[in-house]
Amino acid sequence: RAMAIARQVLCLCAFLSVPHARAEPIRYSVAEEAESGSLVGNLAGDAGLTPAQLSARRARLLSEHGRQHFRLERASGRLVVAGRLDREELCGHSATCT
């Protein structure tokens, strides 16, 4: 059971409330063992924007703790893993990790 909990999926919610884009949350799930550079999703497409529109709006990722776990490639609109995700570092021993 502990292994099943350790392999819980981390979720990332991206909120975009800009004109001509989706106003509801966009949710992505990322496996704990995802390698750096792994594709999380196409944020531009999922938000209903072209990569150029996303870039023109100066889209960026913000982190409460200053560490960026994800990277937004504005030229392509892709959201990728910035570095290996460590569940224990992010969520401690919590049964769920969001």
Side-chain angles (χ1 to χ4, degrees):
R1 176 138 174 106
M3 287 300 284
I5 292 173
R7 296 198 187 277
Q8 288 285 327
V9 176
L10 301 173
C11 293
L12 168 72
C13 298
F15 298 95
L16 295 175
S17 3
V18 293
H20 310 294
R22 289 174 45 154
E24 64 270 6
I26 302 169
R27 298 184 186 273
Y28 296 104
S29 295
V30 181
E32 176 184 349
E33 300 296 324
E35 296 288 326
S36 179
S38 296
L39 177 66
V40 176
N42 185 326
L43 186 59
D46 295 341
L49 301 169
T50 66
Q53 289 171 317
L54 191 70
S55 185
R57 288 183 165 95
R58 292 187 223 147
R60 63 190 179 282
L61 300 177
L62 303 175
S63 171
E64 289 181 15
H65 306 290
R67 181 161 180 224
Q68 290 290 348
H69 298 287
F70 304 95
R71 183 176 66 247
L72 176 60
E73 298 174 347
R74 284 196 274 174
S76 67
R78 293 170 20 118
L79 185 65
V80 298
V81 175
R84 186 179 177 282
L85 301 175
D86 183 343
R87 185 186 188 288
E88 285 75 26
E89 178 187 327
L90 294 169
C91 300
H93 297 290
S94 175
T96 59
C97 186
T98 303

